[in-house]
Amino acid sequence: MNSVGEGCTELKREYDQCFNRWFAEKFLKGDRSADPCSELFHKYHTCVQKAIKEKDIPIEGVEFMGPNREKADS
Amino acid sequence: MGKYFFSETDIKSAWEQVLAAFWQRYPNPYSTHVLTEDVLFREVTPDNLLLSRRLLTKTSRLPRWAERVFPGNLSRSVYIIEDSVVDLGNRSLTTLTWNVNHAKLMRVVERCVFAGDQDRPVWTQITREAWISSGVFGLSRPIQEFGLARFRSNQVKAMKGLEHALSNLQKASAVCPGDSAEKHKNLNSASKTQKPQQYI
């Protein structure tokens, strides 16, 4: 799958591979040892944030689960 | 005002497998409308919840009558945020997905809960809700109806895409040595029961 930043796809793949392994082998088994993917994520994240700014994607300041607040009453 | 969609489906896969597949479901044969996928944020909280934010871009496909009214929208993809919380203790994944552009034309907010069945550990229940609204004066009703119809069709694709990812994961683990016939049995018997859909 491609990243929104054309030059970030390889970094994304490396991070995804690391995450998927950690998720299945550690997190799901209740192992709370440190996340081994933070460096990979940092490189990937830097690249994506640049692409987001360049493409003017409006995600700045969007609250986590923001619309959930609105749906609480429905 | 607006349209509401609700559905409940059980699938015969363990919650842990469904979650692994959830992260790996793109690309799949049913997701040609999904152009990009990125993780923007991830954190494990002190109480061991996994929070994530993903950004997706999807093609902006409008029916012809809408294309005539909103020609400018053709050039931009739709940007979608998917926020999620994995609660290992409860064996539940809650996701909230919504579009951050084209919102005045139509906004779709979808909430899904993937819950491991306590009594039947190899089953997972998927509850999907969506709220579809449009702010366009004079056209909100046809736009919302279009949105609801497209949402229903997309949720069928989403389920197929998830099952495709699950099947891939099962095949991959079936290649490993020391594998039992169990996994092959699961692959063949992946079935689902769907409760009647309700919408207003």
Side-chain angles (χ1 to χ4, degrees), chain B residues 146-176:
Chain B
F146 159 71
L148 180 61
R150 189 173 70 180
F151 182 82
R152 274 195 244 130
S153 135
N154 278 352
Q155 78 118 5
V156 171
K157 286 184 198 171
M159 276 310 300
K160 286 185 173 164
L162 183 66
E163 282 163 0
H164 179 90
L166 272 165
S167 158
N168 278 350
L169 282 177
Q170 284 167 349
K171 279 181 200 151
S173 63
V175 175
C176 294

Side-chain angles (χ1 to χ4, degrees), chain B:
Chain B
M1 281 309 279
K3 296 283 184 188
Y4 175 71
F5 172 93
F6 175 87
S7 78
E8 265 182 352
T9 307
D10 291 333
I11 65 172
K12 196 176 180 186
S13 285
W15 179 77
E16 289 74 10
Q17 287 200 311
V18 173
L19 256 69
F22 177 77
W23 300 121
Q24 301 178 60
R25 71 191 191 281
Y26 298 128
N28 68 69
Y30 311 96
S31 73
T32 50
H33 60 294
V34 181
L35 303 172
T36 72
E37 173 212 10
D38 284 287
V39 176
L40 300 187
F41 166 81
R42 218 163 228 152
E43 180 189 311
V44 181
T45 68
D47 42 357
N48 215 35
L49 301 177
L50 175 65
L51 312 183
S52 304
R53 167 167 283 183
R54 287 202 286 191
L55 171 70
L56 306 170
T57 58
K58 297 189 184 181
T59 54
S60 165
R61 304 146 303 153
L62 296 176
R64 223 159 278 168
W65 60 262
E67 279 177 14
R68 274 186 238 120
V69 181
F70 307 105
N73 274 306
L74 286 183
S75 52
R76 288 280 273 185
S77 311
V78 186
Y79 296 120
I80 287 154
I81 285 182
E82 173 206 86
D83 284 347
S84 58
V85 180
V86 180
D87 185 339
L88 193 59
N90 272 342
R91 285 175 92 222
S92 80
L93 161 67
T94 303
T95 73
L96 197 76
T97 306
W98 70 100
N99 56 304
V100 293
N101 67 335
H102 296 188
K104 189 178 174 210
L105 169 63
M106 181 165 65
R107 197 157 103 131
V108 180
V109 179
E110 179 197 50
R111 180 164 67 209
C112 293
V113 179
F114 299 77
D117 193 316
Q118 304 210 333
D119 304 318
R120 304 176 299 167
V122 296
W123 288 81
T124 301
Q125 183 180 69
I126 302 175
T127 307
R128 199 184 291 268
E129 293 176 277
W131 296 265
I132 296 151
S133 59
S134 173
V136 176
F137 179 75
L139 277 176
S140 63
R141 188 122 143 247
I143 291 172
Q144 281 164 182
E145 276 168 11
F146 159 71
L148 180 61
R150 189 173 70 180
F151 182 82
R152 274 195 244 130
S153 135
N154 278 352
Q155 78 118 5
V156 171
K157 286 184 198 171
M159 276 310 300
K160 286 185 173 164
L162 183 66
E163 282 163 0
H164 179 90
L166 272 165
S167 158
N168 278 350
L169 282 177
Q170 284 167 349
K171 279 181 200 151
S173 63
V175 175
C176 294
D179 176 55
S180 69
E182 275 302 321
K183 286 175 186 156
H184 296 283
K185 204 163 73 176
N186 267 344
L187 189 68
N188 294 328
S189 62
S191 59
K192 56 183 198 264
T193 60
Q194 183 139 21
K195 292 172 192 159
Q197 293 174 3
Q198 303 150 38
Y199 54 90
I200 298 160

Side-chain angles (χ1 to χ4, degrees), chain A:
Chain A
M1 196 69 216
N2 290 332
S3 167
V4 71
E6 287 84 12
C8 309
T9 297
E10 199 42 51
L11 293 170
K12 169 189 145 62
R13 284 206 190 119
E14 283 177 27
Y15 167 70
D16 280 347
Q17 252 182 354
C18 180
F19 169 77
N20 287 325
R21 202 179 309 127
W22 169 83
F23 184 75
E25 293 171 13
K26 302 282 182 181
F27 182 81
L28 282 183
K29 299 188 174 164
D31 183 332
R32 299 197 192 195
S33 54
D35 171 10
C37 310
S38 33
E39 250 193 73
L40 284 174
F41 182 72
H42 181 76
K43 282 188 221 166
Y44 162 51
H45 184 255
T46 306
C47 186
V48 172
Q49 287 301 323
K50 191 157 164 270
I52 285 170
K53 283 208 165 63
E54 281 166 8
K55 297 186 182 215
D56 216 8
I57 299 175
I59 54 160
E60 186 76 23
V62 176
E63 199 186 339
F64 189 75
M65 297 255 180
N68 212 35
R69 222 130 293 191
E70 303 160 34
K71 299 309 157 206
D73 306 321
S74 30

